[in-house]
Amino acid sequence: MSRTLVAEAYEDLRPLLFSIAYRMLGSVAEAEDIVQEAFLRYQRALEESARIESPKAYLSAVITRLAIDHLRSARVRKESYVGEWLPEPLLTDAGAPDGARHAEQADSLSMAFLLLLERLSPVERAVFLLHDVFDYDYAEIAMIVDRSEDNCRQLAVRARRHIDEHRPRFEASREAREQLAARFFEAVGEGYMNGLVELLAADVVVYGDGGGKAPSWPRPIVGRDRVVRLLLGLRRGAEGLGFTVRRAEINGQPGAMFFDLAGRLINVWTLDIADGQVQTVRSVINPEKLGHLGPLADVRALLRGRASGGSGGGP
C-alpha cells in the first residue's frame, strides 16, 4: 500500500518539488538527489505507520529543510570555487522533462534571478520562494521552516525588498527575445562585427563558468568593445574545432547548446535580453554542471587537436 501511495505522490508532486529544490540550490543534480531522498523518507514514514494527512505538505517540508541544510554546508565550497559560479543550466524548451517545465514563472528560473537568490540567507530564500513563487501561505511556511508566522512575514519582506531592488529585467515579448537571439547567434557564427555591435548593450557583460575543470574566463568581460573582440576571437579560434550550435531555451531565456561533430555537448550559453539588446551572456562549460544534458565532449582534447590557436574560454 505504501508503495502505491509513494508512486501516486511521485507522479503528482515531483515536478513541484523539483522546481522548489532547483531554485533553492541552482543545481539540477543536487535537486534530483534531494527529491529522491524526500520520497525515500516519505516511504519510510508510511511503512512506520506515520499519519500523513497531506503528502504535499510533508514532502514540501522535507525538500525545503534538506535544501536549507545543503545550502549551509555548501557555502564554504562556493567561496573556494574557481572563477565565476553559475547555476547548472536547465533546459526549459519543448523537449525538456516535466520537472523542468513545471513552474509558470520563467523569470524565476533565469540564471540572473537564481544568482540574486544567492545573496539571501537559506531561510530567507526558502520563505521568499515558497510564498512569492509557489503560493504557500505563511502558516504552511512557518511549519516548514520552524519559525513563527510573523517572523516568516518579516523574512519575506526583507527578501522581497532585496529582490525588488536588484530584480533582473527581461524583454517583455518572448517573440522579440527569440528574434534578437537568432540575430545574435547568426552574427557570432558569421563573424559579423557590425551586427554584434548593434545587438549588444554598451555595458554588456560575459560570464564564464569552467570551475577549473575546463578553459574559461576567470573574470567577467565587461563593455561592448571588449565583448565584440571576445566573441569574434572565439569564432576564429573555434573554426578548426568543428562544432554545431542548437538554439534552445535555457532557464526560461534564449540560449544555445554547442556540440562537437560526434554530437557531444561542449558548453551552454544563455542570454539576458532587455531594451532590444543583449545585456548579459553566460557560458557554462564546467563538465560537472552539464552531465544531465547528455554525453559530453572533452574540451581540452578538442583544443589540443586544433591546428591553430585562438582565444581561450571555449565556444
Side-chain angles (χ1 to χ4, degrees), residues 164-292:
D164 289 343
E165 287 175 359
H166 303 280
R167 187 182 293 273
R169 294 179 303 111
F170 300 107
E171 195 71 41
S173 166
R174 179 190 180 97
E175 183 179 359
R177 287 201 307 263
E178 291 300 323
Q179 289 177 353
L180 194 143
R183 291 169 57 200
F184 170 84
F185 285 112
E186 181 181 8
V188 172
E190 297 296 326
Y192 181 34
M193 179 173 179
N194 290 338
L196 283 172
V197 168
E198 69 180 28
L199 292 173
L200 299 176
D203 56 351
V204 62
V205 185
V206 174
Y207 297 95
D209 180 344
K213 311 295 182 183
S216 191
W217 313 287
R219 290 175 296 279
I221 312 299
V222 183
R224 181 186 290 140
D225 291 343
R226 295 185 66 198
V227 169
V228 167
R229 289 197 299 270
L230 171 75
L231 295 175
L232 294 179
L234 286 177
R235 179 189 176 277
R236 289 192 298 270
E239 283 178 345
L241 293 178
F243 66 90
T244 59
V245 182
R246 179 167 73 83
R247 290 282 313 287
E249 183 183 277
I250 307 293
N251 288 77
Q253 304 300 321
M257 304 170 73
F258 295 78
F259 298 89
D260 69 8
L261 294 180
R264 296 169 298 200
L265 183 63
I266 299 172
N267 79 330
V268 170
W269 284 16
T270 182
L271 309 179
D272 291 353
I273 295 173
D275 302 325
Q277 292 181 308
V278 175
Q279 307 288 332
T280 308
V281 180
R282 294 183 176 87
S283 165
V284 179
I285 198 169
N286 181 350
E288 293 183 352
K289 296 188 174 185
L290 300 176
H292 61 285

Side-chain angles (χ1 to χ4, degrees), residues 104-162:
E104 293 81 3
Q105 298 185 37
D107 287 358
S108 73
L109 271 176
S110 73
M111 288 199 178
F113 188 83
L114 296 178
L115 289 167
L116 185 53
L117 292 176
E118 287 288 312
R119 302 182 187 182
L120 304 178
S121 73
V123 176
E124 284 177 337
R125 193 183 311 189
V127 171
F128 173 80
L129 286 171
L130 290 173
H131 186 269
D132 284 39
V133 176
F134 295 103
D135 296 324
Y136 286 66
D137 63 41
Y138 286 117
E140 293 176 289
I141 297 169
M143 295 288 292
I144 289 172
V145 301
D146 195 23
R147 303 287 182 95
S148 69
E149 288 187 45
D150 285 344
N151 185 234
C152 287
R153 287 189 177 89
Q154 292 168 4
L155 289 170
V157 168
R158 189 160 62 233
R160 195 177 301 121
R161 184 183 302 121
H162 181 80

Side-chain angles (χ1 to χ4, degrees), residues 8-24:
E8 291 173 351
Y10 190 87
E11 180 71 21
D12 293 341
L13 297 174
R14 184 194 176 280
L16 167 66
L17 299 173
F18 175 85
S19 294
I20 294 172
Y22 176 73
R23 284 170 174 78
M24 285 288 291

